[in-house]
């Protein structure tokens, strides 16, 4: 991974990289000197980007700087304020209810000063310069599904891709949400527009409770079709979110805007904003699981395998080729029971290798899993019965 630092003040289209926030310590102390809220226990306790403060305040004033969730008495919410200067604390409703009237010392030992935005990039060149984009964000503190899971999964994917042959080029980016995709685009938009054939925002991919996707702005790009196809055949029960606000909510907002217009959908298990623990301290390691990750990695693996053999493919024969002499057709059968699923699949694949449909459209049309069609395409290719049409 190449790590890049982009100085505060750098322009990215309509935006500017903000000052860098450094947080060292923060607490609320009661009159007896007891720390009733302590950043050292959980870094969600401080509103992200809080400006420094060291004051004594009465409870009434303190309340205006506190955030909690009445319906979830044990959850510490995740709150951040990137572009408005303020300070605040997040705490569980139970903690908040236990605060007695009186004076409190509030201290946030932070700095907001020129620094840099940090992002990471892994480019895995293939034989072709046609590219697949995977992006994930790295800006949330201490949460499991909506934070850690995306970078963990893409790291595993980068390792996997580095070990196998691939025709396509893979671009994996690890960015702070929103400003990160804008900065990244400001440096690479021409290349990405010219080369990107598909892509996914990978976010919230560690739990095992749901399978979901968010459409690209167009809703029918290769990424949308492939994501939809794989989810349908992997998971059965699939939730598909549109590109309409507020269903869209991560970096697809920038990847897909009209003057960028990359074919990028999003892949999730339980999507951000759609599960109870979202943006709270309850989105912790207990929520994500090995099973969740394994399922998500298998999904991305299939996503890549289909893209690598996407076609469209075209049959080389006029009329049906004679499969029997190539050992692809049963020597004899007397009635319908002689047809196996495998043969049906082969015959249908062959009939729709028409030079127009890519593998996703072909599989959708014949009602098969694209993944199951791959070995057949390979076999037909070996026999010289199909060729690449595109
Ligand atoms: Zn989030």
């Amino acid at each position: 991974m190449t790590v890049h630092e982009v100085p505060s003040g750098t322009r990215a289209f309509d935006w500017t990289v903000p000052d860098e926030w450094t947080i060292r310590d923060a607490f609320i102390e009661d009159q007896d000197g007891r720390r009733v809220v302590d950043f050292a226990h959980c870094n969600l306790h401080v509103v992200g980007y809080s400006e420094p403060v060291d004051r004594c305040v009465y409870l009434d004033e303190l309340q205006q700087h506190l955030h909690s969730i009445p319906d979830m008495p044990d959850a510490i919410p995740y709150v951040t304020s990137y572009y408005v200067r303020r300070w605040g604390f997040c705490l569980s409703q139970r903690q908040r209810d236990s605060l007695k009237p009186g004076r409190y010392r509030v201290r946030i030992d932070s700095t907001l000063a020129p620094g840099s935005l940090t992002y990471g990039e892994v480019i895995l060149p293939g034989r072709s310069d046609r590219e697949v984009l995977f992006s994930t964000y790295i800006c949330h503190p201490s949460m499991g599904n909506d934070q850690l899971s995306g970078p963990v999964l893409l790291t595993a994917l980068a390792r996997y891709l580095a070990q196998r042959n691939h025709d396509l080029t893979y671009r994996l980016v690890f960015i702070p949400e929103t400003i990160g995709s804008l900065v990244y685009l400001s440096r690479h938009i021409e290349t990405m527009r010219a080369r990107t054939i598909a892509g996914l925002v990978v976010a919230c991919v560690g739990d095992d409770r749901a399978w979901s996707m968010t459409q690209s702005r167009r809703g029918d790009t290769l990424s949308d079709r492939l994501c939809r196809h794989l989810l349908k055949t992997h998971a059965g029960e699939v939730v598909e979110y549109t590109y309409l606000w507020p269903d869209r909510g991560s970096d697809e907002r920038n990847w897909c805007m009209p003057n960028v217009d990359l074919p990028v959908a999003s892949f999730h298990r339980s999507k951000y904003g759609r599960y109870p623990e979202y943006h709270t301290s309850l989105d912790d390691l207990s929520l994500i699981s090995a099973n969740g990750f394994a399922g998500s990695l298998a999904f991305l693996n299939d996503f890549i395998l289909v893209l690598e053999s996407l076609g469209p493919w075209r049959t080389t024969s006029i009329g049906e080729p004679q499969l029997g002499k190539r050992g692809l057709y049963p020597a004899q059968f007397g009635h319908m029971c002689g047809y196996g699923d495998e043969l049906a699949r082969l015959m249908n694949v062959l009939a729709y290798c028409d030079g127009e449909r890519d593998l996703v459209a072909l599989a959708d049309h014949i009602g098969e899993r694209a993944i199951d069609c791959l070995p057949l395409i390979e076999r037909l290719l070996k026999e010289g019965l199909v060729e690449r049409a595109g």
Side-chain angles (χ1 to χ4, degrees), residues 78 137 140 143 146 177 272 278-279:
Y78 164 50
Y137 49 84
H140 300 31
M143 287 178 290
D146 187 19
E177 213 170 15
Y272 50 79
Y278 166 73
H279 275 195

Side-chain angles (χ1 to χ4, degrees), residues 321-331 343 346-347 379 385:
Q322 199 190 347
L323 297 176
K325 68 183 182 190
R326 299 176 171 93
L328 288 168
Y329 204 78
L343 180 60
L346 177 69
M347 297 304 280
R379 180 73 198 274
L385 294 176

Side-chain angles (χ1 to χ4, degrees), residues 124-280:
L124 296 157
R127 282 176 284 272
S128 157
D129 62 6
R130 302 199 315 156
E131 284 189 9
V132 181
L133 171 70
F134 291 105
S135 86
T136 194
Y137 49 84
I138 53 169
C139 47
H140 300 31
S142 295
M143 287 178 290
N145 196 44
D146 187 19
Q147 184 43 82
L148 192 58
S149 69
V152 166
L153 192 65
L154 281 201
T155 303
L157 188 71
R159 282 203 184 127
Y160 162 78
L161 279 168
Q163 286 162 8
R164 73 183 294 273
N165 281 327
H166 44 88
D167 280 330
L168 300 169
T169 290
Y170 293 88
R171 183 185 290 269
L172 283 65
V173 298
F174 301 70
I175 44 180
E177 213 170 15
T178 309
I179 185 75
S181 42
L182 289 159
V183 164
Y184 198 82
L185 281 171
S186 74
R187 298 177 159 201
H188 300 289
I189 186 168
E190 294 309 329
T191 310
M192 292 169 83
R193 263 206 298 237
R195 296 181 181 173
T196 308
I197 62 158
L200 291 176
V201 171
V202 174
C204 303
V205 287
D207 78 337
D208 202 13
R209 297 182 291 186
W211 293 87
S212 55
M213 67 174 278
T214 302
Q215 297 173 358
S216 73
R217 189 176 59 86
R218 291 178 180 271
D220 62 353
T221 67
L222 170 58
S223 309
D224 295 285
R225 292 189 296 113
L226 177 51
C227 209
R228 196 174 286 135
H229 174 87
L230 290 177
L231 285 176
K232 204 169 58 192
T233 53
H234 260 76
E237 208 168 301
V238 177
V239 190
E240 183 168 334
Y241 297 97
T242 69
Y243 191 76
L244 297 179
W245 189 270
D247 274 2
R248 72 174 182 275
S250 186
D251 290 301
E252 73 282 3
R253 287 157 44 218
N254 293 319
W255 303 138
C256 298
M257 275 292 271
N259 292 327
V260 185
D261 211 17
L262 299 177
V264 176
S266 307
F267 167 57
H268 332 275
R269 304 302 296 271
S270 293
K271 179 187 160 106
Y272 50 79
R274 302 291 180 145
Y275 58 98
E277 303 86 354
Y278 166 73
H279 275 195
T280 75

